[in-house]
Amino acid sequence: MTTLETTYAGLKLRNPIIVGSSGLTNSADKNRRLYEAGAGAVVLKSLFEEQILMDADSLSNPQMAPEGSDYLLNYVRMHKLGEYLELIRETKKACPIPVIASINCYDDSNWVDFARQIEEAGADALEINILALQTEIDYKPGSFEQRHVDILRHVKKTVSIPVIMKLGTNLTNPVALMEQLKANGAAAVILFNRFYQPDIDIEKMEQTSGPVFSQPEDFSNALRWVGIASAAVRQLDIAASGGVHTPEAVVKAILAGASAVEVCSAIYTKGPAVIGEFTQFLGNWMERKGMESVQSFRGRLNAGSPDKVNTFERTQFLKYYSSKE
């Protein structure tokens, strides 16, 4: 009998559809509705280090003594953390599916203690995002990747719940980093986080925000690296994120080696009912293909598949676009 159940980061999910961290998951009521729509798990809206620093800065003034600035920053941190812990507790009461907390950070000076309190509040897992551009002229190659490993290692010493690392696309070799993360206790990795999209208004001559939502064509990048990494880094769960707008994309991600997918923009644009459309399509496809479980076809078409052409690592068009001259 066909089952959509899957295991991701040591968590048992009723299906591979995870609602990604966003405004969709910033309240217990919203998370309850996502559960009722069929979500396999929810990732709570992230607690952002950058936002905490910005809020503290907006409340300070140039005349404030250093001690006052430190006190203000600590107050804002603890206030934001308190709100976040309450979100975890209330969502756990409202949803019987796994609830994954999320923190977005630059360093681990405060997040180690935050992680401990997040676990105590009842989160089933913790997703860590270390999303930042490396623009320093004296940047030492490899230091950004090492920051991921260092933060993971320190957090793992504090918590026992699964720790999931969400990676950005600005990495020289995601596979090598994933191997290090696995060695240091990561339960899963997500490919990929989405950068803020900048734009410029040429009439107002000011910086503006570009498109907020992902597009279906964004999915090919996640598909490429899921296909490569799932073949190279064994015993590490991977979730595909970015551009998952169709139920077909869910099937493709699993065939490439993903254990789950994170969906966000599709829910914003089409509503929570899209989750049911995804799971219904997945179930019907599995029945048509004789697949009894997600595990039975996960990774069947990744870069390590025998007797298959490995298109995931192609960087040139070659014969695939020879007719487009």
Side-chain angles (χ1 to χ4, degrees):
M1 185 175 180
T2 300
T3 176
L4 302 187
E5 291 182 353
T6 188
T7 299
Y8 169 71
L11 305 173
K12 186 175 182 180
L13 278 56
R14 59 178 175 172
N15 64 64
I17 312 300
I18 301 173
V19 181
S21 173
S22 63
L24 295 167
T25 60
N26 66 0
S27 76
D29 287 341
K30 290 181 180 179
N31 293 326
R32 176 70 186 184
R33 290 195 288 272
L34 292 168
Y35 155 69
E36 292 172 346
V42 294
V43 183
L44 302 181
K45 183 174 174 59
S46 290
L47 185 61
F48 282 86
E49 179 179 14
E50 181 181 17
Q51 188 63 53
I52 290 173
L53 294 173
M54 289 174 59
D55 289 350
D57 185 63
S58 68
L59 295 173
S60 65
N61 64 72
Q63 288 73 40
M64 185 176 292
E67 296 82 1
S69 296
D70 291 343
Y71 173 82
L72 184 61
L73 179 57
N74 186 63
Y75 171 80
V76 172
R77 279 180 177 139
M78 299 316 297
H79 176 69
K80 292 291 185 182
L81 177 61
E83 292 180 336
Y84 201 73
L85 297 178
E86 186 63 18
L87 173 61
I88 294 172
R89 296 187 191 101
E90 292 302 311
T91 299
K92 285 295 295 179
K93 292 177 184 177
C95 299
I97 56 177
V99 174
I100 303 171
S102 175
I103 55 179
N104 195 304
C105 56
Y106 298 140
D107 56 54
D108 60 355
S109 59
N110 296 287
W111 296 110
V112 170
D113 184 58
F114 282 11
R116 177 183 57 79
Q117 295 185 61
I118 284 170
E119 179 178 35
E120 292 174 351
D124 296 295
L126 174 61
E127 183 180 289
I128 298 177
N129 306 270
I130 311 170
L131 189 62
L133 291 174
Q134 305 308 302
T135 60
E136 302 88 349
I137 198 167
D138 58 349
Y139 171 75
K140 181 179 179 181
S143 60
F144 181 55
E145 287 79 2
Q146 187 59 45
R147 191 185 313 169
H148 289 70
V149 177
D150 292 342
I151 292 176
L152 170 64
R153 185 184 296 130
H154 294 158
V155 170
K156 283 292 295 179
K157 291 179 179 178
T158 307
V159 302
S160 58
I161 57 175
V163 179
I164 303 161
M165 303 297 289
K166 191 167 189 176
L167 306 183
T169 55
N170 58 328
L171 298 166
T172 302
N173 187 339
V175 175
L177 176 57
M178 290 170 65
E179 180 67 26
Q180 292 184 60
L181 295 173
K182 183 189 74 170
N184 283 276
V189 167
I190 304 162
L191 305 176
F192 290 100
N193 210 331
R194 178 172 168 79
F195 279 102
Y196 167 84
Q197 304 294 305
D199 202 350
I200 290 179
D201 186 319
I202 63 173
E203 297 303 325
K204 295 181 179 180
M205 293 182 63
E206 62 183 26
Q207 297 176 358
T208 61
S209 171
V212 175
F213 301 134
S214 69
Q215 300 298 319
E217 53 266 27
D218 297 333
F219 176 65
S220 62
N221 192 46
L223 186 68
R224 175 196 296 273
W225 285 104
V226 168
I228 295 171
S230 66
V233 185
R234 305 288 180 162
Q235 306 303 315
L236 179 67
D237 287 339
I238 303 173
S241 177
V244 182
H245 284 257
T246 67
E248 290 86 353
V250 177
V251 176
K252 292 176 184 179
I254 298 172
L255 282 168
S259 297
V261 297
E262 281 198 358
V263 182
C264 184
S265 294
I267 300 175
Y268 268 116
T269 56
K270 302 175 185 177
V274 75
I275 298 172
E277 295 174 12
F278 283 12
T279 54
Q280 182 176 5
F281 179 94
L282 176 61
N284 290 340
W285 180 89
M286 289 172 63
E287 289 185 1
R288 285 194 292 110
K289 299 297 183 179
M291 304 294 181
E292 295 185 354
S293 67
V294 170
Q295 182 61 33
S296 66
F297 68 98
R298 183 170 69 88
R300 182 170 290 194
L301 296 181
N302 69 10
S305 301
D307 303 322
K308 301 293 182 182
V309 176
N310 178 12
T311 59
F312 293 115
E313 295 187 27
R314 288 211 184 276
T315 58
Q316 305 295 328
F317 289 128
L318 299 176
K319 65 180 181 181
Y320 298 102
Y321 278 81
S322 60
S323 62
K324 303 295 182 181
E325 297 177 356

